[in-house]
Amino acid sequence: MLKKRIIPCLDMKGGRVVKGIRFESLTDAGDPVETAALYDRMGADELCFLDIGASVENRGTLFEIVEKTASRVFLPLTVGGGIRSTEEIRKALNAGADKVSLNSAALARPEILTEGALRFGAQCIVLAVDVKRDGNSWRVYSHGGTRPTDRDALEWIVEGARRGAGEILLTSMDQDGTKQGYDTELIRAVSRAVDLPLIASGGAGCLEDFARAFEAGADAALAASLFHFGTVDIRELRRFLAQRGFPVRPPSDNALSGDSHG
Amino acid sequence: MAEAPRTAVIDYGMGNIHSVSKALEATGHRVAIVSDPGGLAAFSPSHLVLPGVGAFGEGKSRLEEGGWIPLLEEWIQNDRPFLGICLGMQLLFERSQEFGSHRGLSLFRGEVVPFDPGKGKVPQIGWNEVVRKIDHPLWRGLPEAPNLYFVHSYRVQTPDVDIVLGETDYQGPYPSMVGRGRVAAVQFHPEKSQLAGLRLLENFGGF
């Protein structure tokens, strides 16, 4: 059975991880490669690098980091933040990314979803959507959540799926940073609207929040500071979810006995 | 192992070559990325890997344009160590229904068919079990049903149960690991599947 995924997100600026990382075992907490390697050992199912600086000068640095990470960490990597063209998608994939997340670029020019899907396959095109409640619906924001658009979240996600996106990364701006849980109503609505894998993001504060997101229809749950500060331990989270009957990878799977790659 | 396997990874423009070659290096392979048959001959490999993500038709055309087909046919028919990954697995079969109908290399019998969006989410993205059906050197040191990482919208179906080394359940069971002799192919991404995946690549080195 396909497993529910737990995805730590590394927010980066100028090649460094921002939002504090508090692990004593890390000698350099801002180093993305070292942080990725630590999450790998902890049993993350996948990693997400988001360049929140997203300046053109940073793009090269981001790809270098992906390349270094992919040389050491044999785990799926999603990369996003300021990727605007199929050429940049190609560079990210060549560097070792498995998926590329597109947000503002897709809003500005939705055709990029189709171009990317035709050239590289829909499975690597993630449509990232930042939304905020607006009455009975949700409005899409662009540019890292700073600019409201005139798009309705559900309509945009349906359009994105039609244009070629292979997965949705859905962030509730209302919940983000609150630690009050994912927006399960939003997750339910999006799950009903499209048959694409859905990554829930924004608001995780405790173990139970992950269970609620998966119950609501999410296939994966993403969190940043919760993992960075050690509030929730990934191994403990997996045990908790398994006990609650959710399909998750058993912790033993990334610690084969007698294997020398640990 | 007496000598490190000399493993060529075929770069035909279909995706993530970097991760595959790094994972092979981490598991004792001496790796060269080759982008034309001349480069392959110069490297004189003992092992061959055909990776790939993306569309079947595009992959097949690129193999043709690159002059890879006769070479792959000969390599595989001579039972030399070979590993196909993801699209590199699908291309070994007879045909695919992806974006029309395309002919594959027909080195295994069977075809590539889409998952049904009416039955669940497509693509399949994530970790799923590969259940052991036939014992094979690729399985050495692995549990009976390890979780490995999948990303795909199409899957293989074959009438030849004797090539199905492992099966995965997504909208019903389908072959996710096939092989005959020293020629094997997997639908999942061993290079992205942490220790279980690395173990499999190490096992391939022993072919």
Side-chain angles (χ1 to χ4, degrees):
Chain A
M1 190 185 229
L2 185 64
K3 305 299 181 294
K4 299 290 187 187
R5 287 170 283 151
I6 300 161
I7 308 178
C9 181
L10 307 184
D11 292 328
M12 300 202 302
K13 209 169 187 176
R16 306 282 294 169
V17 182
V18 295
K19 284 190 184 173
I21 300 240
R22 303 268 174 90
F23 292 114
E24 286 178 2
S25 55
L26 281 179
T27 50
D28 178 2
D31 179 54
V33 183
E34 205 180 329
T35 310
L38 177 74
Y39 281 130
D40 176 49
R41 291 197 292 278
M42 288 179 155
D45 292 311
E46 193 173 314
L47 292 173
C48 185
F49 284 152
L50 282 188
D51 185 5
I52 59 172
S55 65
V56 177
E57 314 81 78
N58 281 351
R59 209 71 33 75
T61 317
L62 179 67
F63 297 151
E64 273 168 38
I65 289 164
V66 171
E67 192 166 330
K68 278 189 197 142
T69 307
S71 304
R72 250 182 86 181
V73 171
F74 302 105
L75 202 59
L77 302 175
T78 298
V79 176
I83 292 175
R84 284 188 178 79
S85 63
T86 48
E87 180 54 20
E88 285 179 332
I89 297 175
R90 191 185 65 79
K91 282 185 182 157
L93 296 176
N94 278 354
D98 299 276
K99 297 184 277 183
V100 169
S101 97
L102 300 170
N103 189 332
S104 303
L107 286 163
R109 211 175 62 81
E111 296 79 13
I112 193 174
L113 297 170
T114 318
E115 292 162 7
L118 284 176
R119 178 129 177 238
F120 309 106
Q123 83 293 329
C124 70
I125 306 296
V126 181
L127 176 62
V129 189
D130 295 336
V131 311
K132 213 177 210 173
R133 266 178 198 276
D134 184 7
N136 291 326
S137 59
W138 291 270
R139 181 187 294 272
V140 178
Y141 280 65
S142 73
H143 296 81
T146 57
R147 294 190 205 167
T149 69
D150 54 8
R151 286 185 179 272
D152 170 77
L154 295 182
E155 284 171 16
W156 171 229
I157 288 168
V158 168
E159 179 181 337
R162 182 172 54 73
R163 286 182 180 272
E167 189 170 39
I168 306 294
L169 167 53
L170 179 64
T171 303
S172 160
M173 294 167 56
D174 302 300
Q175 298 303 104
D176 204 22
T178 64
K179 306 228 183 306
Q180 299 297 305
Y182 296 99
D183 185 339
T184 50
E185 201 183 321
L186 173 66
I187 295 168
R188 277 202 179 84
V190 173
S191 292
R192 271 196 300 267
V194 285
D195 272 334
L196 286 183
L198 173 62
I199 306 170
S201 158
C206 64
L207 298 174
E208 187 65 39
D209 291 336
F210 289 83
R212 290 199 184 106
F214 293 145
E215 257 158 21
D219 301 282
L222 178 141
S225 55
L226 188 70
F227 295 137
H228 300 337
F229 288 100
T231 316
V232 160
D233 176 279
I234 295 171
R235 288 158 293 203
E236 188 191 344
L237 175 56
R238 263 154 80 154
R239 277 192 294 274
F240 167 82
L241 290 168
Q243 277 161 10
R244 293 286 298 273
F246 292 97
V248 286
R249 279 198 299 155
S252 59
D253 252 36
N254 49 318
L256 295 178
S257 58
D259 204 296
S260 56
H261 302 299
Chain B
M1 206 180 302
E3 223 172 286
R6 293 172 63 82
T7 304
V9 178
I10 298 181
D11 180 5
Y12 59 118
M14 296 303 283
N16 197 338
I17 303 295
H18 177 77
S19 304
V20 175
S21 58
K22 289 297 167 188
L24 286 163
E25 279 170 11
T27 52
H29 293 254
R30 199 176 144 201
V31 180
I33 293 173
V34 293
S35 48
D36 60 81
L40 185 81
F43 180 60
S44 171
S46 59
H47 288 56
L48 196 54
V49 175
L50 182 67
V53 292
F56 189 98
E58 174 84 10
K60 173 74 185 312
S61 313
R62 284 177 182 245
L63 284 180
E64 270 166 359
E65 285 156 20
W68 287 110
I69 306 239
L71 197 148
L72 284 170
E73 284 172 351
E74 194 191 337
W75 185 281
I76 289 173
Q77 277 153 8
N78 288 332
D79 191 35
R80 300 182 69 182
F82 177 91
L83 183 67
I85 299 174
C86 198
L87 180 62
M89 170 188 184
Q90 299 181 351
L91 286 165
L92 303 181
F93 286 81
E94 291 167 300
R95 62 194 162 271
S96 169
Q97 299 175 5
E98 186 171 6
F99 302 126
S101 185
H102 299 275
R103 291 199 63 76
L105 299 182
S106 299
L107 294 160
F108 289 126
R109 289 207 300 157
E111 64 177 330
V112 179
V113 299
F115 285 123
D116 182 354
K119 286 192 189 163
K121 296 186 177 182
V122 179
Q124 170 176 225
I125 298 183
W127 298 79
N128 204 338
E129 286 134 45
V130 177
V131 179
R132 189 181 305 202
K133 302 304 281 184
I134 300 176
D135 208 13
H136 185 274
L138 268 190
W139 281 109
R140 196 174 302 139
L142 286 164
E144 283 298 311
N147 280 284
L148 293 144
Y149 188 78
F150 290 83
V151 187
H152 62 127
S153 302
Y154 288 76
R155 64 177 183 84
V156 156
Q157 64 185 23
T158 175
D160 295 337
V161 289
D162 63 326
I163 64 165
V164 181
L165 308 179
E167 241 176 33
T168 294
D169 187 0
Y170 194 69
Q171 299 181 7
Y174 68 91
S176 51
M177 183 161 143
V178 297
R180 185 184 285 137
R182 295 193 291 171
V183 173
V186 297
Q187 179 61 66
F188 50 85
H189 288 274
E191 78 280 13
K192 292 291 175 174
S193 295
Q194 292 187 313
L195 295 180
L198 293 179
R199 185 57 198 247
L200 189 136
L201 294 177
E202 189 180 331
N203 291 343
F204 169 60
F207 275 22

